[in-house]
Amino acid sequence: MTGMLTIAGLGPGDAALITPEVAPYVARVAAREGLVLHASDNRQELLRAAEAMRLAAAGRRVVVVSSGDPGVFAMASAVFEALEASPQWQGLIIRVLPGVTAMLAAAARAGAPLGHDFCAINLSDNLKPWPLIEKRLRLAAEADFAIALYNPRSASRPEGFARALEVLNEAGCGDRITIFAHAVTTADERIDALPLRDARPDMADMRTLVIVGNSTTRRAGRWIYAPRRAS
Amino acid sequence: MTGMLTIAGLGPGDAALITPEVAPYVARVAAREGLVLHASDNRQELLRAAEAMRLAAAGRRVVVVSSGDPGVFAMASAVFEALEASPQWQGLIIRVLPGVTAMLAAAARAGAPLGHDFCAINLSDNLKPWPLIEKRLRLAAEADFAIALYNPRSASRPEGFARALEVLNEAGCGDRITIFAHAVTTADERIDALPLRDARPDMADMRTLVIVGNSTTRRAGRWIYAPRRAS
């Protein structure tokens, strides 16, 4: 078995944020002789992972790419899930190449809203029950974490973000500065910030990352940051 | 005012993980004519930030570097804190250049322990009271987040990690797979994993990032991952 499976993170969009470790794989995604692109639906992650592993086990050098970091709400978990289900593939050489995940790029553009303790919650994942998401939002508010919300307006759960805003408002987060980072680091980038109570569901779309500040998150000029000090 | 302040993240250690956006600044850190290095103690973040801003306001092109991502428990928050305290500097051009933060690199080496909802808690920061950290650990356990612990054995709070392990054990996390990622992506890298109840404080040092899995985190061969599904 000479195949290898590489799971690579492409970063948030700008080529200047693709690590040198990953960059060669991106260059190779351009069509060329001997390269086969296996496109698949984003919702079919497990099938895609299993197919990648099957090709690698057959001796191919396979690359599975994700935007952002492959380990954060992306393909890496699906690959290992497929691996666990198929012990005959556990000798495969696998490498995970990290990337700049969306919340880091969004935070950098806004200032430093993740400079103090924080959490990241995926609103899109239809593999977890919605009450669990609400529970996590309430506990995150109580813990006074800054909260990064991935996939706020996913196709599979478009109504979730409106409810998430309600839950956080009910949990007393109405004053918290909330950042909508749209298509961050791309030509379409747009960063908006406002108190949570004024946030509307339609401010987020499929390319938006939302960061809800903690109770001490504040502005310094045009920047938004979480102070290092907490009480 | 022609100065500029750049806050750049160097990633976890390996040069292959320094983004192309940041790489030119790293090359410039080598001594050369016209370059002044202002070294400062890690605990003097605010003084360092103010000094960087003063130099930029005087027309210099100043770079503040942090390992990992500058916005995650690093220099960016201190810079904006200094900026807020000095309104006369709020016209300065400031850029934050994100990087691969330690938990992403550690997760990639271990598998995909951050593939489901997670949080990041800084155990070192002596600017927050310890009871707040304990509260966050308990709530994070209740939320069933994977938990990335930064600076588990800091000089300023060496006893904190032992207590953090106690708190998580008391919160019912004894079975959770816990990853100790030491000096990740460097020549000294070492990844260990074991149930939380068997973890000992001395397994972490100043170069260790700890990830406590969630209740469903599991192994697939030599890999550790958080399944996408939760109930």
Side-chain angles (χ1 to χ4, degrees):
Chain A
M1 189 185 295
T2 59
M4 181 160 78
L5 179 56
T6 301
I7 311 164
L10 302 180
D14 183 348
L17 292 173
I18 300 172
T19 66
E21 185 175 70
V22 168
Y25 296 102
V26 182
R28 288 178 196 162
V29 173
R32 61 172 173 76
E33 197 172 350
L35 181 98
V36 185
L37 283 178
H38 300 266
S40 61
D41 188 300
N42 263 336
R43 287 165 294 181
Q44 300 296 322
E45 292 180 338
L46 196 59
L47 289 176
R48 182 157 46 141
E51 174 70 359
M53 214 162 314
R54 191 187 63 72
L55 290 164
R60 313 292 287 270
R61 300 171 70 86
V62 181
V63 183
V64 174
V65 296
S66 290
S67 68
D69 180 279
V72 175
F73 312 138
M75 280 300 295
S77 281
V79 168
F80 293 116
E81 194 177 326
L83 184 69
E84 189 184 7
S86 302
Q88 75 276 17
W89 287 335
Q90 286 179 10
L92 261 184
I93 297 171
I94 299 178
R95 295 189 315 154
V96 183
L97 308 184
V100 174
T101 185
M103 68 178 167
L104 301 184
R109 288 297 206 261
L114 303 180
H116 198 83
D117 302 335
F118 62 92
C119 67
I121 297 176
N122 186 358
L123 293 185
S124 139
D125 190 344
N126 52 17
L127 297 171
K128 64 187 169 196
W130 182 258
L132 178 61
I133 295 180
E134 291 201 9
K135 177 183 174 185
R136 286 181 178 157
L137 290 168
R138 287 195 194 92
L139 291 167
E142 186 180 349
D144 204 8
F145 285 129
I147 304 169
L149 297 174
Y150 278 71
N151 301 306
R153 297 274 286 188
S154 73
S156 62
R157 191 177 264 162
E159 75 293 354
F161 183 51
R163 181 65 192 135
L165 292 175
E166 282 177 10
V167 168
L168 290 172
N169 267 307
E170 290 163 10
C173 300
D175 288 335
R176 294 201 192 185
I177 299 176
T178 301
I179 298 159
F180 288 79
H182 174 81
V184 70
T185 83
T186 75
D188 301 325
E189 176 176 304
R190 197 180 62 243
I191 310 285
D192 297 306
L194 72 177
L196 183 84
R197 71 166 50 82
D198 298 329
R200 296 190 318 273
D202 63 3
M203 289 175 177
D205 66 15
M206 310 272 287
R207 301 173 72 194
T208 306
L209 187 286
V210 176
I211 297 177
V212 180
N214 70 23
S215 66
T216 67
T217 298
R218 49 198 294 118
R219 293 178 187 267
R222 81 163 194 80
W223 301 97
I224 295 162
Y225 76 102
R228 299 165 305 144
R229 186 177 296 277
S231 54
Chain B
M1 189 185 293
T2 58
M4 182 160 78
L5 180 54
T6 301
I7 311 165
L10 302 179
D14 184 347
L17 292 172
I18 301 173
T19 65
E21 184 175 70
V22 168
Y25 296 101
V26 182
R28 287 177 195 162
V29 173
R32 60 172 173 76
E33 198 172 350
L35 181 97
V36 185
L37 284 178
H38 299 266
S40 62
D41 188 299
N42 262 335
R43 286 165 294 182
Q44 301 296 321
E45 292 180 338
L46 196 58
L47 289 175
R48 184 157 43 141
E51 174 71 359
M53 214 162 310
R54 191 187 62 74
L55 291 164
R60 313 292 287 271
R61 300 172 70 85
V62 182
V63 183
V64 174
V65 296
S66 290
S67 66
D69 181 278
V72 175
F73 313 137
M75 281 300 295
S77 282
V79 168
F80 293 117
E81 194 177 326
L83 184 70
E84 189 183 8
S86 301
Q88 75 275 18
W89 287 335
Q90 285 177 12
L92 261 184
I93 296 171
I94 299 179
R95 294 191 313 155
V96 183
L97 308 184
V100 174
T101 185
M103 68 178 166
L104 301 185
R109 287 299 206 261
L114 304 180
H116 198 84
D117 302 337
F118 63 92
C119 67
I121 298 176
N122 185 359
L123 293 186
S124 138
D125 190 343
N126 52 18
L127 297 171
K128 65 187 168 195
W130 182 257
L132 178 61
I133 294 180
E134 291 201 8
K135 177 184 174 184
R136 286 181 178 156
L137 290 169
R138 286 195 195 92
L139 291 167
E142 186 180 348
D144 204 8
F145 285 130
I147 305 170
L149 297 174
Y150 278 72
N151 301 307
R153 298 273 287 187
S154 73
S156 63
R157 191 177 264 162
E159 75 292 354
F161 182 52
R163 182 64 192 137
L165 292 175
E166 282 177 11
V167 169
L168 291 172
N169 267 305
E170 289 162 10
C173 301
D175 288 335
R176 293 202 193 184
I177 300 176
T178 301
I179 299 159
F180 288 79
H182 174 79
V184 71
T185 81
T186 76
D188 301 326
E189 176 176 304
R190 199 181 60 243
I191 310 285
D192 298 306
L194 72 178
L196 182 85
R197 71 167 49 83
D198 298 328
R200 296 190 318 273
D202 63 3
M203 289 175 177
D205 66 15
M206 310 272 287
R207 303 173 72 196
T208 306
L209 186 288
V210 176
I211 298 176
V212 180
N214 69 23
S215 66
T216 66
T217 298
R218 48 198 295 118
R219 292 177 188 267
R222 81 164 195 80
W223 301 96
I224 295 162
Y225 78 102
R228 298 166 305 143
R229 187 177 295 276
S231 55

